[in-house]
Amino acid sequence: MGRITIFCVNECNFCRQTKAALTAQNVPFVEINVEMYPEKRKDMQSLTGQLTVPQVFFNEKHVGGAKETLEILEEWDLETKSKYCPDRNVREHYIRMVGEQGEPADKRLSIPKPKSSPSSETESANVSSSRTRDLFKVDDKHWTTLEFTETLMQNMPRETLSYWGSHYFNTFKGCDGVTALQKTFELKSRDEAAQLGQTLQRKQYIHHVTKDHPFGDNSYYYRLQPFHTPNVLNTFRVWTDEVDEPLNVIHRLAKLWSKLEARHLNSDGMVDHSHIRVDPYYWKFEEEVCELQGVRMAQLDDNARKAFVINVYNLVIRYASVKVGVPASAATRSVFFDQVCVNIEGADFSLNDLEHGILRANTRHPFQISKSFGMTSSKQSLALTKLDPRVHFALNCGARSCPPIKKYTSANIDEELEVSAQAFCEQDDNVEVDMVDGTLTLSKIFCWYSSDFGSEIPGVVAGFLSGKKKENLESLIDGGNLKVKYFDYDWSTNDVSNLTFERSEIRSRCIVGGKAPTDKYRMPK
């Protein structure tokens, strides 16, 4: 029996859209994940001459990528509505055109067998388990850290309180906290509730807003841990459990987030952020991403650190987009990348710290005056020893014009980055060679980071190309009349129901006149 075969990767929006379109028309398909089975990427390339995904086959016929597949489905849909077509719907059309044919004989299109013993670094995550072991006891009831934090978030008061000209957000007075604790846990007295609050403060579930006063039945201001440092994403709890190897941690977290996104795809294959925010899996992720607090990045060599930080950056972007929103202007993008942080090894790293401080070997941001890590910064030792410009083809900041998200490993990081660079430059949306006009049009990434790629950017780009496109570009370079232009950068996203990021969302306090954060971050009851 014939079939549709899709070469794909997990986090590719075009792959998702293609599969969603087929599913919507009740058309079956099988997929070959070249991220899970990297040896199949060579098969895909030999069959298509392409490195980008998805690549779609109707039996042994290569039909192209997402665009071509969607066009065929649209054509089939129109044909079934014609009175001359014997098929009543697209599925019947598929059965006649594809399904009734013989199964592909080309071994390169064979479905790989599941791997029985994956390496520790690439092992599939068990999203139904938890790495947290800490239990909290009130009277005779035991709570996991997640359960207890959920209960506190649902029942403790939250308001904006003022003191000496400053607003403190998401806070409560000690006396109000005592009232809430007594009611929530059905305690006999306010003294018992105050003692519970003091225990919670010692265990870092509750903090005084300026860390000056112990908890009590008083008028001082306190705040729950998940709201204490809103600019640091992974602070739902303070991590006190065991910590796995860095790449195991980030791959497991990426697996959990990927499952979360897969649960909330709309009919067009786009991720619906509004549904993610109320999914119990999201709160499981909120707790487990706190394990990064204990990861020891300093122990990693350059290759492992490069792979780790690329994976962290790509995950944190998606996490931040759901938790604090997507920036909608150049001004808010600057704040987003400068001030939204993730805690790793007990230190807070902004997205710019990860990209420009570590991955670009502490090279100055093209639009900033100083480097991410100053001479006295302890983070300076974490910067890679050498800048690899191919990291620009691996980082995805959430915009449509960004490279697709892939998983990177320490053992194969060089090969993986080379494939990412070739796949990025292969796409005409990123690199276009016009022989008639003698023009090379490039992604804005090559303009912004021209110093990373060197003075002869056309030659660098040619090194990532193959086939006719490479020959054409080399011909223009040799002719000496090559003109270089740049595409506009598309900052829109491939997701729906996005929150809009505002600077106020990551403030714990501000001077009088500042805008209070909205109530985006709330545990559903």
Side-chain angles (χ1 to χ4, degrees), residues 5-25:
T5 306
I6 304 176
F7 288 89
C8 61
V9 296
N10 289 330
E11 311 301 336
C12 168
N13 287 308
F14 294 114
C15 299
R16 286 172 170 169
Q17 290 169 16
T18 303
K19 291 186 284 185
L22 289 165
T23 301
Q25 296 286 7

Side-chain angles (χ1 to χ4, degrees), residues 21 39 61-62 83 165 297 311 317 324 330 365 415 459 491 498:
E39 67 276 8
K61 179 183 178 182
H62 177 226
K83 63 181 180 179
M297 198 169 21
N311 290 320
I317 285 286
V324 299
H365 186 297
E415 179 184 351
W491 287 101
N498 298 318

Side-chain angles (χ1 to χ4, degrees), residues 239-258:
W239 192 266
T240 55
D241 290 296
E242 64 182 66
V243 179
D244 203 349
E245 291 299 313
L247 281 155
N248 290 348
V249 173
I250 192 58
H251 287 158
R252 185 174 59 252
L253 291 172
K255 185 78 173 181
L256 177 56
W257 189 266
S258 180

Side-chain angles (χ1 to χ4, degrees), residues 285-488:
F285 177 85
E286 275 281 14
E287 180 184 26
E288 297 209 3
V289 72
C290 294
E291 186 174 353
L292 289 173
Q293 298 168 12
V295 163
R296 296 184 60 81
M297 198 169 21
Q299 71 183 13
L300 301 175
D301 62 27
D302 266 22
N303 279 346
R305 192 178 309 158
K306 188 188 299 184
F308 174 74
V309 175
I310 290 173
N311 290 320
V312 168
Y313 182 96
N314 289 338
L315 176 63
V316 169
I317 285 286
R318 291 181 287 159
Y319 172 29
S321 297
V322 170
K323 185 169 184 176
V324 299
V326 178
S329 67
T332 54
R333 273 196 295 273
S334 177
V335 175
F336 182 87
F337 287 99
D338 258 344
Q339 298 184 22
V340 174
C341 298
V342 58
N343 187 284
I344 305 173
E345 202 170 344
D348 297 338
F349 293 85
S350 70
L351 292 162
N352 278 340
D353 287 342
L354 296 176
E355 179 178 3
H356 308 291
I358 298 177
L359 292 175
R360 294 184 64 232
N362 203 26
T363 302
R364 183 180 61 82
H365 186 297
F367 303 118
Q368 294 184 355
I369 297 174
S370 57
K371 297 180 178 180
S372 290
F373 304 151
M375 293 295 293
T376 59
S377 173
S378 59
K379 298 176 183 177
Q380 195 175 38
S381 62
L382 296 173
L384 298 181
T385 55
K386 183 180 179 182
L387 193 160
D388 184 343
R390 296 175 301 175
V391 299
H392 295 298
F393 307 122
L395 298 178
N396 184 299
C397 69
R400 286 182 186 271
S401 288
C402 287
I405 296 172
K406 300 175 184 177
K407 181 168 71 175
Y408 294 87
T409 63
S410 59
N412 302 306
I413 184 65
D414 189 66
E415 179 184 351
E416 290 160 351
L417 286 177
E418 191 66 18
V419 168
S420 293
Q422 292 169 358
F424 182 84
C425 294
E426 181 181 278
Q427 294 181 291
D428 287 340
D429 289 343
N430 300 320
V431 175
E432 183 181 65
V433 181
D434 189 329
M435 294 298 289
V436 176
D437 292 339
T439 302
L440 171 65
T441 308
L442 300 173
S443 163
K444 214 54 170 285
I445 290 173
F446 289 102
C447 175
W448 293 331
Y449 300 104
S450 57
S451 61
D452 294 4
F453 291 101
S455 57
E456 299 299 327
I457 290 180
V460 172
V461 172
F464 295 132
L465 297 176
S466 60
K468 189 65 176 177
K469 194 172 185 178
K470 179 184 181 75
E471 293 175 10
N472 288 343
L473 179 54
E474 289 178 338
S475 174
L476 291 177
I477 293 172
D478 292 341
N481 295 316
L482 177 64
K483 294 174 289 187
V484 178
K485 299 193 302 184
Y486 297 96
F487 292 112
D488 291 333

